[in-house]
Amino acid sequence: MAAVIIVLMVYFSDTPSAPTGNIQGVECDPSEGTVFHVHTHLDMIVDSKQITIPTGIGIKQNECLCWLHTHDTSGVIHIESPTQNKFTLGQFVQVWDSTPEISHTFEELTHGDKNLKVFVNGTEITDHYDVIPLFAHDEIVLVSGDMPTSISTSYEFGRL
């Protein structure tokens, strides 16, 4: 009987577990949500230099896809949820920092700047980046350090 229990324990410990976890209200599901599906664009500028947004934020290969994620380095944040929700840039940053395959955390790329300047569609927002809502087709620009000569006011989403 003990041998059967040991075999079952080994079998189930080697079987991939179902995706679990909640990062500030953002779940990681086996497939993309289809009830709420919009896209926001994020630019990050540190000391007047464009920073590439990493690919694969919120994606755990062969496991799950967070409701907030990136598929490439374009800066497009995919918001794909099974329920209609309001999501924030702070939630996206937490997903970013919780994705183990990403080489640099958000804080490393911004040099830990707690006083980031935030622009949405070209207008400076005085709220902290944590509370900035992610709306369809918004262009969000975060600036750390030296200000660039210009700030993007829009992004060409194409068919997204």
Side-chain angles (χ1 to χ4, degrees):
M1 180 63 141
V4 171
I5 291 172
I6 291 171
V7 168
L8 288 174
M9 287 174 54
V10 169
Y11 172 79
F12 284 111
S13 68
D14 289 341
T15 303
S17 60
T20 59
N22 180 312
I23 304 166
Q24 283 195 345
V26 178
E27 298 287 334
C28 198
D29 292 333
S31 61
E32 295 177 337
T34 57
V35 171
F36 186 61
H37 187 166
V38 298
H39 304 94
T40 299
H41 187 259
L42 175 64
D43 279 319
M44 283 179 48
I45 302 169
V46 177
D47 294 328
S48 297
K49 295 178 185 151
Q50 185 78 28
I51 300 296
T52 300
I53 307 299
T55 187
I57 293 172
I59 298 175
K60 296 177 184 174
Q61 291 298 325
N62 302 316
E63 193 174 333
C64 63
L65 201 66
C66 288
W67 297 345
L68 306 177
H69 59 271
T70 63
H71 288 289
D72 54 34
T73 59
S74 67
V76 173
I77 301 170
H78 295 255
I79 305 159
E80 298 166 356
S81 169
T83 59
Q84 183 79 28
N85 285 311
K86 177 183 170 188
F87 295 103
T88 66
L89 186 56
Q91 287 173 301
F92 176 72
V93 168
Q94 290 301 311
V95 168
W96 178 338
D97 287 347
S98 298
T99 306
E101 292 82 19
I102 303 302
S103 59
H104 295 288
T105 66
F106 176 83
E107 286 75 18
E108 288 171 337
L109 290 175
T110 60
H111 306 301
D113 191 344
K114 302 291 184 208
N115 298 308
L116 295 170
K117 291 183 176 45
V118 182
F119 298 83
V120 177
N121 301 324
T123 301
E124 187 170 4
I125 307 297
T126 57
D127 292 333
H128 190 269
Y129 74 84
D130 278 354
V131 299
I132 301 299
L134 301 177
F135 291 125
H137 293 177
D138 271 353
E139 164 66 354
I140 299 173
V141 179
L142 294 178
V143 179
S144 172
D146 299 334
M147 284 294 293
T149 56
S150 65
I151 298 290
S152 295
T153 61
S154 64
Y155 177 78
E156 179 55 49
F157 285 90
R159 295 174 44 162
L160 293 179

